[in-house]
């Protein structure tokens, strides 16, 4: 089993920044990918950013140029730097990881962008 623990959410004004962290622990033999999804009230969960084992990254069009995903392999941790935040970025952000070809989810962290 693998556990994912997120941190770093909170309330921020429009135009502000936040950094989310997701630390993986447990029986980790290989990491295929790690990334972030989000779910706003009344909407489906959607992918935000992914980083693959080789270092390639993918971003949702809505966050390109504003969000940056990165990782610390030694700590099995992935980060999401979110800049120029907008009210429409408000959502619960979930960490997702695929380890040895099995998917795992974190418990989610709330991000609220509001003045």
């Amino acid at each position: 089993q693998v556990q994912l623990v997120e941190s770093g959410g909170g309330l921020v004004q429009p135009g502000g920044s936040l950094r989310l962290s997701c630390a993986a622990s447990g029986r980790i033999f290989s990491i295929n990918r790690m990334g972030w999804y989000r779910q706003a009230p009344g909407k489906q969960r959607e992918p935000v950013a992914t980083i693959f084992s080789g270092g390639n990254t993918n971003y949702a069009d809505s966050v390109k140029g504003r969000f940056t995903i990165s990782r610390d392999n030694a700590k099995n941790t992935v980060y999401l730097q979110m800049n120029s935040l907008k009210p429409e970025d408000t959502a619960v952000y979930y960490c997702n990881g695929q380890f040895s070809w099995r998917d795992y989810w974190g418990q989610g962290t709330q991000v609220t962008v509001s003045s």
Side-chain angles (χ1 to χ4, degrees):
Q1 282 289 77
V2 175
Q3 295 78 41
L4 300 176
V5 178
E6 302 112 330
S7 61
L11 173 64
V12 64
Q13 292 186 341
S17 298
L18 280 176
R19 190 176 83 150
L20 305 182
S21 299
C22 173
S25 62
R27 296 173 62 84
I28 299 172
F29 299 108
S30 65
I31 302 176
N32 304 118
R33 55 172 169 77
M34 291 185 72
W36 296 90
Y37 283 65
R38 67 185 181 187
Q39 187 167 19
K43 294 188 177 181
Q44 289 190 336
R45 192 174 297 188
E46 62 178 5
V48 175
T50 303
I51 186 164
F52 296 88
S53 58
N56 292 341
T57 57
N58 277 348
Y59 295 93
D61 287 343
S62 58
V63 307
K64 283 181 181 177
R66 301 188 297 122
F67 291 10
T68 302
I69 189 169
S70 61
R71 67 186 180 193
D72 184 331
N73 290 334
K75 296 181 179 179
N76 289 330
T77 298
V78 66
Y79 305 96
L80 186 67
Q81 179 66 43
M82 304 185 293
N83 299 328
S84 302
L85 282 160
K86 305 175 181 180
E88 51 263 44
D89 294 317
T90 295
V92 178
Y93 284 69
Y94 295 91
C95 180
N96 170 265
Q98 189 179 76
F99 304 88
S100 301
W101 307 109
R102 289 187 62 183
D103 274 308
Y104 295 86
W105 292 90
Q107 79 285 357
T109 185
Q110 177 70 46
V111 172
T112 301
V113 185
S114 175
S115 55

